[in-house]
């Protein structure tokens, strides 16, 4: 396994190098070895995985094994507990005794079912629905560099790029509506305040009540507030630090929260734009900020997560409740991380993606960590995680074959549903999701390309449409404790050994900060 770990780390570094604007001669040589390293990794994984795995399988055998994984089957019950099988058989018997069905053919469950059984039935129904889902992809062309962030407002998608621009897209027609050029550095983050907060600011600027605003943060140390109807920058805040993340607090009169590349957290009044708080919250760049009710969650490149309480009264708008370091979250170290912690809170849990194969789940009140498998081997990289009602959505990039995938999990159970992929889908570095007026899903993913995912009715499928599949290996995975396992320790040992190899340049930066430094360049 030692050589496998080394190859995976090298491929992580190469993938992060490829999103840089320019490469040194040494870096170009390293990137040129990607195909060779990937082929070698494939051979090793084939030897280690056995006939039931697909990681690293090449040629005709690869196609054969992939078909085995992609088959959606209900016959694979041998891995399920006997109690669960018996419960399902009992439900089937009850259904055959005269249970009514709705117009979609779904059984209306008896009231006598326990809460656990009802949740299990809801999950099976949701799984069947997603197995039949169909998406069509449309590329939005216009950015000249990596897309780092995206948000949705009604029928508009707003994207930010390292090319210093913010673009507004009309999704139904897939056309660029506005090009908001005003930053002098790469755009790193975006945020769309809710309509009520927008109305308050619109009145202050003598604009229509229906005006919507979007906030953009950049490496030029500025946060800009844009009016979407006109594309004008109505206000700019100079923060004295490269802005790496931001969010909006709607409580009270509203606040803008920004995170910097040095770990500083700043809070700004929405009405006066005055600085109300400036605190050194983290030891490294604040890569993620999320407002969730009366709480704000911040995450840093070094792997720490901080929970803040919004205070309506008092001299400071935020009060720190908890700080969990990388030794708790498991997101620290130099074991191939991309240096960009992303979080998504839900109740007492915070879902974390930090460039590893699994999603970390932190109970922010107790510090208890669990892991949810997002890839069937350590060759997977999780770049972003997000939520919409009933769904946890996570991106996954396979270092072994270069395949990019979106995995869906049912909430609150965190049970795997399906995987979505398409040919030549690039690595997904940012994600936004929303529902249309008809209830269909519409998503946008960014990275090398900006792509809209549009859910379509019916069963007709065109070449290039999204493939929906189920990976049995993820299907059988359950939440597990995040205690330091033997695999984790062996990975760390392999990384330590790899750090001394001759082919790594002496000036090479730690992998844990490479993604962010690439974006900031």
């Amino acid at each position: 396994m030692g050589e496998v770990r080394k190859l995976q780390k090298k491929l992580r570094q190469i993938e992060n190098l490829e999103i840089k604007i320019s490469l040194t001669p040494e870096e170009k040589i390293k990137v040129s070895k990607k195909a060779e390293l990937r082929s070698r990794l494939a051979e090793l994984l084939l030897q280690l995985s056995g006939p039931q795995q697909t990681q690293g399988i090449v040629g005709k055998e690869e196609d054969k094994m992939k078909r085995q994984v992609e088959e959606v089957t209900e016959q694979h019950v041998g891995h399920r507990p006997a109690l669960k099988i018996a419960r399902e058989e009992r439900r089937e018997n009850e259904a055959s005794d005269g249970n009514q069905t709705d117009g979609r053919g779904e059984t209306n469950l008896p009231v006598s079912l326990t809460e656990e059984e009802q949740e299990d039935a809801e999950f099976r129904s949701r799984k069947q629905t997603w197995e039949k889902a169909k998406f069509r992809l449309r590329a939005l062309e216009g950015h000249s560099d990596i897309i780092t962030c995206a948000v949705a407002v009604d029928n508009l998608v707003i994207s930010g790029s390292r090319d210093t621009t913010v673009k507004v897209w009309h999704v139904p027609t897939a056309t660029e509506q506005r090009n908001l050029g005003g930053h002098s550095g790469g755009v790193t983050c975006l945020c769309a305040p809710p309509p009520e907060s927008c109305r308050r600011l619109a009145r202050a600027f003598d604009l229509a009540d229906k005006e919507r605003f979007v906030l953009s943060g950049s490496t030029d140390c500025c946060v800009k507030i844009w009016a979407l109807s006109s594309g004008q920058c109505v206000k700019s805040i100079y923060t004295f630090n490269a802005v790496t993340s931001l969010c909006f607090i709607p409580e009270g009169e509203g606040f803008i929260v920004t995170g910097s590349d040095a770990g500083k957290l700043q809070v700004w009044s929405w009405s006066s734009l005055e600085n109300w708080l400036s605190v050194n919250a983290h030891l490294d760049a604040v890569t993620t900020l999320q407002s969730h009710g009366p709480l704000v969650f911040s995450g840093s490149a070094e792997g720490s997560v901080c929970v803040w309480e919004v205070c309506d009264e008092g001299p400071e708008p935020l009060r720190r409740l908890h700080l969990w370091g990388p030794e708790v979250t498991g997101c620290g170290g130099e074991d191939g991380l991309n240096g960009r912690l992303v979080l998504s809170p839900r109740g007492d849990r915070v879902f974390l993606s930090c460039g590893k194969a699994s999603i970390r789940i932190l109970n922010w009140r107790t510090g208890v960590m669990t892991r949810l498998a997002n890839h069937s081997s350590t060759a997977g990289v999780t770049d972003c995680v997000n939520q919409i009602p009933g769904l946890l959505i996570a991106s996954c990039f396979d270092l072994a074959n270069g395949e990019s995938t979106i995995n869906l999990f049912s909430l609150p159970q965190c049970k795997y549903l399906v995987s979505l992929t398409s040919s030549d889908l690039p690595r997904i570095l940012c994600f936004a999701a929303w529902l249309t007026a008809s209830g269909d899903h519409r998503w946008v993913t960014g990275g090398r390309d900006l792509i809209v995912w549009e859910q379509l009715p019916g069963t007709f499928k065109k070449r290039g449409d999204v493939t929906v599949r189920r990976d049995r290996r993820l299907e059988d995975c359950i939440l597990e404790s995040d205690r330091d396992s033997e695999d984790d320790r062996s990975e760390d040992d392999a990384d330590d050994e790899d750090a001394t190899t001759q082919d790594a340049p002496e000036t090479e930066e730690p992998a844990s900060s490479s993604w962010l430094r690439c974006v900031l360049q």
Side-chain angles (χ1 to χ4, degrees):
M1 290 296 293
E3 186 176 358
V4 170
R5 305 286 187 185
K6 293 177 185 178
L7 290 171
Q8 290 172 349
K9 180 179 179 181
K10 290 179 180 178
L11 285 170
R12 282 188 179 94
Q13 294 171 343
I14 289 173
E15 291 293 342
N16 289 333
L17 284 175
E18 285 190 313
I19 66 174
K20 291 181 66 174
I21 296 177
S22 60
L23 299 177
T24 66
E26 293 81 6
E27 290 171 338
K28 290 179 180 179
I29 293 174
K30 193 168 186 177
V31 170
S32 69
K33 296 180 180 179
K34 183 172 75 169
E36 177 185 345
L37 294 174
R38 184 170 283 170
S39 176
R40 176 56 182 161
L41 177 60
E43 293 175 4
L44 291 175
L45 289 174
L46 177 59
Q47 296 171 7
L48 295 169
S49 62
Q52 296 301 318
Q53 303 292 328
T54 62
Q55 300 303 316
I57 299 173
V58 295
K60 295 181 179 179
E61 283 298 312
E62 178 183 16
D63 296 333
K64 179 179 177 182
M65 294 300 182
K66 278 187 176 180
R67 285 196 298 271
Q68 291 179 0
V69 173
E70 293 171 358
E71 290 173 354
V72 177
T73 177
E74 296 296 334
Q75 302 173 1
H76 197 63
V77 298
H79 296 287
R80 288 180 284 179
L83 179 62
K84 184 175 179 180
I85 297 173
R87 189 186 302 139
E88 292 178 355
E89 290 175 348
R90 185 172 72 252
R91 290 202 203 95
E92 292 174 357
N93 292 334
E94 290 172 348
S96 64
D97 288 340
N99 288 329
Q100 296 180 348
T101 59
D102 59 18
R104 295 171 295 178
E106 297 178 359
T107 303
N108 294 323
L109 299 171
V111 180
S112 59
L113 288 180
T114 66
E115 182 178 350
E116 179 183 356
E117 290 172 332
Q118 289 177 353
E119 286 185 355
D120 190 49
E122 290 172 0
F123 166 76
R124 290 193 296 136
S125 175
R126 185 173 292 166
K127 178 171 71 73
Q128 291 172 359
T129 299
W130 277 105
E131 286 171 351
K132 301 174 184 177
K134 185 180 74 171
F135 281 82
R136 186 153 298 161
L137 305 186
R138 291 184 297 170
L140 303 179
E141 300 180 356
H143 284 297
S144 60
D145 209 332
I146 299 293
I147 295 97
T148 59
C149 47
V151 294
V153 177
D154 299 327
N155 279 328
L156 302 176
V157 164
I158 301 92
S159 58
S161 170
R162 205 171 54 186
D163 64 11
T164 76
T165 65
V166 176
K167 291 184 180 290
V168 182
W169 310 85
H170 185 245
V171 176
T173 58
T175 57
E176 180 181 329
Q177 191 176 71
R178 298 193 184 281
N179 179 26
L180 311 182
H183 285 292
S184 59
V187 178
T188 57
C189 46
L190 293 168
C191 179
E196 316 83 68
S197 301
C198 290
R199 278 193 290 271
R200 288 198 295 269
L201 190 65
R203 295 189 189 104
F205 286 106
D206 246 353
L207 299 174
D209 280 352
K210 293 184 179 180
E211 182 66 72
R212 295 298 302 270
F213 298 94
V214 66
L215 314 177
S216 62
S218 168
T219 59
D220 63 8
C221 306
C222 287
V223 173
K224 293 187 180 294
I225 305 176
W226 308 88
L228 290 181
S229 63
S230 62
Q232 296 298 312
C233 176
V234 297
K235 206 70 178 176
S236 182
I237 305 172
Y238 190 75
T239 69
F240 296 94
N241 301 276
V243 180
T244 52
S245 59
L246 62 83
C247 73
F248 186 83
I249 302 175
E251 274 70 24
E253 295 185 358
F255 297 95
I256 303 169
V257 186
T258 61
S260 79
D261 62 341
K264 181 181 290 186
L265 205 69
Q266 293 177 286
V267 182
W268 312 81
S269 168
W270 179 236
S271 55
S272 66
L273 300 182
E274 294 178 357
N275 183 217
W276 279 39
L277 176 67
S278 183
V279 57
N280 292 319
H282 296 275
L283 300 178
D284 206 340
V286 183
T287 60
T288 180
L289 280 168
Q290 291 288 332
S291 173
H292 187 62
L295 301 174
V296 171
F297 297 82
S298 60
S300 174
E302 91 270 5
S304 65
V305 172
C306 197
V307 186
W308 309 81
E309 182 183 25
V310 179
C311 302
D312 292 334
E313 300 179 357
E316 296 183 344
L318 292 181
R319 179 174 66 90
R320 190 169 72 183
L321 295 178
H322 296 280
L323 174 61
W324 302 109
E327 69 280 358
V328 173
T329 66
C331 295
E334 299 181 6
D335 51 348
L337 300 187
N338 59 17
R340 182 174 174 264
L341 176 66
V342 175
L343 62 81
S344 181
R346 176 188 172 89
D348 291 346
R349 298 185 294 181
V350 184
F351 299 97
L352 308 173
S353 67
C354 54
K356 294 188 178 182
S358 62
I359 300 168
R360 262 58 175 175
I361 306 176
L362 168 68
N363 185 313
W364 61 266
R365 296 185 187 275
T366 64
V368 173
M369 292 294 304
T370 51
R371 286 184 293 178
L372 178 64
N374 191 45
H375 199 276
S376 51
S377 82
T378 55
V381 177
T382 304
D383 286 305
C384 51
V385 61
N386 209 324
Q387 295 178 66
I388 52 178
L391 283 180
L392 175 67
I393 306 173
S395 70
C396 183
F397 183 76
D398 193 318
L399 295 169
N401 56 30
E403 183 182 72
S404 189
T405 306
I406 289 179
N407 292 327
L408 305 184
F409 301 86
S410 179
L411 291 176
Q413 307 96 328
C414 294
K415 294 175 66 176
Y416 170 71
L417 289 167
V418 295
S419 297
L420 309 177
T421 190
S422 180
S423 59
D424 301 323
L425 182 66
R427 183 173 176 178
I428 296 170
L429 301 178
C430 59
F431 180 93
W434 70 104
L435 295 175
T436 64
S438 60
D440 292 326
H441 289 266
R442 190 175 279 166
W443 306 337
V444 61
T445 57
R448 290 190 180 277
D449 299 314
L450 187 65
I451 299 175
V452 171
W453 300 55
E454 188 167 9
Q455 187 178 14
L456 301 177
T459 57
F460 179 74
K461 186 176 180 181
K462 280 186 175 182
R463 184 174 183 179
D465 282 354
V466 170
T467 300
V468 180
R469 70 185 189 192
R470 280 181 62 80
D471 189 333
R472 294 174 188 167
R473 297 159 299 175
L474 289 182
E475 181 179 1
D476 296 331
C477 290
I478 59 174
L479 291 172
E480 58 182 10
S481 171
D482 198 42
R483 293 190 183 95
D484 188 20
S485 66
E486 183 176 346
D487 288 343
D488 292 334
R489 289 193 299 270
S490 65
E491 183 173 350
D492 292 338
D493 293 342
D495 290 341
D496 292 341
E497 181 182 351
D498 186 51
T500 61
T501 56
Q502 296 296 323
D503 59 335
E506 293 181 2
T507 59
E508 183 176 331
E509 294 181 351
S512 61
S513 62
S514 57
W515 192 96
L516 184 68
R517 299 197 187 283
C518 289
V519 170
L520 294 178
Q521 285 186 358

